[in-house]
Amino acid sequence: MTSAPSVERVLDLRNILNDLVVDGRMSQADANTLSGTSRTKEQALMHPLAYVSLQNFDDQARPGKKLSGEVLTQWLGDKAGLPVFNIDPLKINVASVTGVMSFAFAKRHNIVCVSVSTEEVVVACSQPFVTGWEPQLEHVVRRPIRRVVANPADIERYGVEFYSLAKSISGASGLKEASSVTNFEQLLELGTLKDPEANDQHIVNIVDWLLQYAFDQRASDIHLEPRREMGKIRFRIDGVLHPVYELPIQVATAVVSRIKILGRMNVAEKRKPQDGRIKTKRADGSEVELRLSTLPTAFGEKLVMRIFDPDVLLRSFVELGLTGEDYERWQTMVDRPNGIVLVTGPTGSGKTTTLYSSLKQLATEEVNVSTIEDPIEMVAEAFNQTQVQASIGLDFAAGVRTLMRQDPDIIMVGEIRDLETAQMAIQAALTGHLVLTTLHTNDAPSAVTRLLDLGIAPYLISSTIVGIMAQRLVRTLCPHCKEETPADSKAWLALTYPWKAPTPSHFAKPVGCLECRNTGYLGRQGIYEILPLSDAIQSSINNEVGLLELRQQAMREGMRTLRLSGAQKVAAGVTTIEEVLRVAPPPEKKQ
């Protein structure tokens, strides 16, 4: 690896192409084609490395691979003798990095600060052979500068985003200009804080940025959490919460008020929990819906926004991870003309998505599909949806009672929470309706004991329940960066016990890349435990056998536990043993 040359050299398209050909990364024919192609004004302003990455050329040094932005950035870092830094906005303190230099200075030199500590300031650059800016900045910050190379497209994009956000927060906080200070914290100390209004343009900008940023990061939930002196923003991505930003408490309060206005909630009421909805659009123009929930806490209102994927009803069972024998068992259960089908699992395990996907398939012109939900999580034109309203006495039980007079064929009950709702669902099943509903239990057999605990007679359970499916969501490995690793037979045996499943030849492990935000995981799929009620299971229920015996009988009849379902995805290289163990309870555990 060579050191950066002492003579400054600005990278242009010609020398980038020459170096790629010399290094054996690009063919001479591709270089000639690209150098002879006229560029638009927008393309001419792009960094040459970003322009080359858009051409999708083959990497001559790695057959079958392309010269992507990530690959070219690594090549440039090696050539300059500098480490490569992947800019992950979830791990960057925007307030600190934007206080190091002005946006104009960063833009002029194609750089962006990515980390600030008492020992050093780390600056990402896309022109590693240009260093004239370094002594100037070092003199201002009075700390050593450590240069790294980053993807030019990321520097361009996040530079604009970081400074736009910092400017909006500064404006919302009512900060005075101070040319003598060099960081965001000093500006806060010197600034005269005021109470920003919800409709202030800076607050509007912050909310817009927050929503679009969450969509871009594939977040399923946005958490705004008040603390004593600041408000925390966290995103839930693939089931795991990630800290994103910290706002001055006055700004955080105004942001919550702005979102409450958009959700048609009572802005003045801060003592009671409230619910609301927002319909907005992504950057690509597609519609997205957010469900809002506020909760009064010691330091102010906590706001959670759940983001609903508009394509949730269009997802196939293959995308949900329900395939093979599990899919056939599930279809057999929901194709019955009457009875109750239960989906169990904790909050956030994908129960509603499974039910919506099934209802979408069942809702033909020949049948009447009606739902009673709390809340209606996704509005669908294919069926009739009713919202629970406890304030006027419309709870689940009352809703089911009313729906039975609406000539339904299929009824979906959002959740069985009490004896009355369970009794109404059973009544609907006994009178010839198919009822799909959810229950919060750890696994499929536990649903039977939960209904018994609620007070339902065993003979009613065995005569109405068609089948039970427990499910969880596991993070799936990123297909762009996952790698094979030798199989751990001991971990495999622990995962598949008491089944004797052969150990795979290898597993897959997470690595981390730009596509998955360096987590190693990209998206989620379901793992399932399906229990059809056979004659033997019904007999066990009528005889009021214990949960352990019921589970053992189900396993003898071929029920695969959640862990075994997860093991199949581990063997297929879809996820990891650690991920399955994180979400799936041990099958032998007594509930």
Side-chain angles (χ1 to χ4, degrees):
M1 189 176 290
T2 58
S3 300
S6 56
V7 178
E8 296 201 346
R9 177 166 69 102
V10 177
L11 295 172
D12 57 27
L13 184 60
R14 181 181 57 81
N15 54 42
I16 284 279
L17 294 177
N18 286 341
D19 287 348
L20 284 169
V21 172
V22 170
D23 291 349
R25 306 303 295 270
M26 179 183 285
S27 68
Q28 187 64 57
D30 285 343
N32 292 340
T33 299
L34 193 55
S35 60
T37 304
S38 60
R39 288 185 282 172
T40 64
K41 184 177 180 181
E42 182 181 350
Q43 291 171 337
L45 293 174
M46 292 175 65
H47 189 283
L49 212 65
Y51 178 62
V52 172
S53 70
L54 294 177
Q55 311 309 312
N56 207 31
F57 284 140
D58 292 330
D59 186 348
Q60 300 301 312
R62 303 183 310 148
K65 304 292 185 179
K66 299 293 184 180
L67 288 173
S68 63
E70 185 179 4
V71 170
L72 289 169
T73 302
Q74 186 62 57
W75 168 80
L76 181 60
D78 293 342
K79 200 155 190 68
L82 295 175
V84 172
F85 186 93
N86 294 325
I87 301 178
D88 183 352
L90 294 179
K91 297 178 181 177
I92 289 179
N93 186 331
V94 177
S96 297
V97 300
T98 53
V100 168
M101 67 187 89
S102 69
F103 177 63
F105 186 87
K107 186 80 172 173
R108 183 164 64 250
H109 297 290
N110 295 304
I111 59 177
V112 65
C113 179
V114 292
S115 177
V116 180
S117 68
T118 55
E119 292 80 24
E120 64 176 6
V121 172
V122 182
V123 177
C125 62
S126 59
Q127 290 285 356
F129 304 122
V130 176
T131 59
W133 54 268
E134 191 172 338
Q136 302 175 44
L137 188 60
E138 202 167 57
H139 177 73
V140 173
V141 299
R142 302 181 185 279
R143 272 166 286 182
I145 301 294
R146 181 163 67 89
R147 291 186 303 131
V148 294
V149 173
N151 191 321
D154 288 345
I155 291 177
E156 174 74 21
R157 173 190 172 185
Y158 291 120
V160 173
E161 285 192 8
F162 292 165
Y163 282 94
S164 296
L165 176 63
K167 182 179 179 181
S168 292
I169 292 173
S170 299
S173 300
L175 300 179
K176 294 179 179 179
E177 294 294 331
S179 59
S180 60
V181 299
T182 59
N183 61 57
F184 193 80
E185 286 74 14
Q186 290 175 346
L187 282 172
L188 284 174
E189 291 172 6
L190 290 174
T192 303
L193 295 177
K194 64 183 181 67
D195 290 328
E197 297 180 356
N199 291 320
D200 181 277
Q201 188 58 47
H202 297 296
I203 297 298
V204 173
N205 291 341
I206 292 170
V207 172
D208 289 345
W209 172 87
L210 177 64
L211 296 181
Q212 294 302 326
Y213 190 33
F215 302 154
D216 182 56
Q217 296 293 322
R218 302 181 294 106
S220 61
D221 300 85
I222 306 171
H223 291 240
L224 277 75
E225 302 168 319
R227 297 294 185 262
R228 189 180 300 276
E229 296 178 352
M230 52 83 184
K232 292 182 66 176
I233 299 175
R234 294 194 290 174
F235 290 169
R236 187 177 295 280
I237 302 172
D238 292 336
V240 179
L241 279 171
H242 298 266
V244 175
Y245 201 77
E246 293 183 356
L247 299 171
I249 191 61
Q250 297 90 341
V251 177
T253 302
V255 166
V256 170
S257 296
R258 170 67 182 170
I259 293 171
K260 288 173 69 175
I261 290 172
L262 295 176
R264 296 186 175 91
M265 300 159 76
N266 185 350
V267 181
E269 179 56 78
K270 299 184 179 182
R271 300 168 301 168
K272 295 180 181 179
Q274 295 187 65
D275 296 314
R277 286 180 178 272
I278 294 177
K279 267 197 173 181
T280 184
K281 291 186 177 181
R282 289 192 173 98
D284 60 7
S286 61
E287 277 198 352
V288 62
E289 188 167 323
L290 297 94
R291 191 180 77 203
L292 316 179
S293 174
T294 64
L295 178 72
T297 70
F299 300 115
E301 279 186 296
K302 179 181 186 293
L303 173 70
V304 175
M305 292 180 275
R306 170 155 288 188
I307 302 170
F308 289 106
D309 185 351
D311 298 327
V312 67
L313 296 176
L314 305 177
R315 287 182 182 170
S316 68
F317 286 104
V318 172
E319 291 175 301
L320 297 178
L322 189 60
T323 57
E325 189 179 344
D326 285 343
Y327 171 70
E328 291 175 6
R329 286 186 170 192
W330 174 252
Q331 282 298 110
T332 301
M333 294 191 311
V334 298
D335 283 343
R336 294 278 293 271
N338 56 68
I340 298 175
V341 177
L342 283 168
V343 182
T344 77
T347 301
S349 60
K351 301 186 300 295
T352 303
T353 300
T354 298
L355 289 179
Y356 273 135
S357 298
S358 298
L359 287 176
K360 180 70 173 178
Q361 187 182 71
L362 296 170
T364 63
E365 293 292 334
E366 290 77 28
V367 298
N368 173 17
V369 178
S370 300
T371 75
I372 177 76
E373 305 172 62
D374 183 24
I376 297 174
E377 297 196 4
M378 184 65 64
V379 176
E381 296 181 1
F383 30 92
N384 309 293
Q385 297 170 278
T386 303
Q387 166 77 50
V388 165
Q389 298 186 59
S391 60
I392 60 172
L394 181 58
D395 56 13
F396 279 118
V400 176
R401 189 180 298 109
T402 303
L403 288 181
M404 288 174 63
R405 297 193 288 268
Q406 288 284 313
D407 187 30
D409 297 289
I410 301 170
I411 297 173
M412 196 267 270
V413 182
E415 182 186 347
I416 291 180
R417 298 176 180 171
D418 50 40
L419 174 60
E420 188 180 7
T421 304
Q423 288 174 330
M424 290 310 306
I426 287 173
Q427 186 64 35
L430 289 172
T431 52
H433 306 95
L434 177 65
V435 180
L436 277 65
T437 185
T438 70
L439 202 60
H440 285 143
T441 63
N442 279 341
D443 59 12
S446 299
V448 174
T449 57
R450 177 61 57 82
L451 292 174
L452 290 170
D453 290 342
L454 285 176
I456 302 298
Y459 75 91
L460 287 175
I461 297 174
S462 61
S463 61
T464 57
I465 303 295
V466 173
I468 307 164
M469 181 169 78
Q471 70 175 79
R472 298 289 191 279
L473 292 176
V474 294
R475 292 183 294 170
T476 54
L477 288 165
C478 174
H480 304 282
C481 64
K482 67 179 181 181
E483 292 181 357
E484 287 188 0
T485 183
D488 183 342
S489 57
K490 186 176 180 181
W492 176 260
L493 290 173
L495 178 66
T496 57
Y497 177 83
W499 300 80
K500 291 181 172 61
T503 306
S505 58
H506 60 269
F507 295 155
K509 67 176 182 179
V511 177
C513 66
L514 294 180
E515 293 291 334
C516 60
R517 310 297 196 269
N518 292 308
T519 64
Y521 295 93
L522 187 63
R524 290 189 291 176
Q525 274 193 8
I527 57 174
Y528 303 93
E529 177 178 289
I530 300 180
L531 171 60
L533 259 67
S534 65
D535 292 341
I537 295 292
Q538 290 175 350
S539 176
S540 297
I541 295 173
N542 287 331
N543 293 329
E544 299 187 51
V545 302
L547 175 58
L548 187 59
E549 291 79 5
L550 184 63
R551 185 181 292 116
Q552 289 172 343
Q553 175 63 35
M555 292 172 67
R556 281 194 294 270
E557 295 186 9
M559 183 191 78
R560 287 198 297 266
T561 63
L562 285 166
R563 286 194 170 191
L564 191 62
S565 176
Q568 291 179 315
K569 296 191 184 300
V570 171
V574 174
T575 189
T576 62
I577 287 181
E578 294 77 15
E579 186 64 14
V580 176
L581 294 176
R582 182 178 69 87
V583 301
E588 70 280 4
K589 183 179 179 181
K590 293 185 179 182
Q591 305 298 333

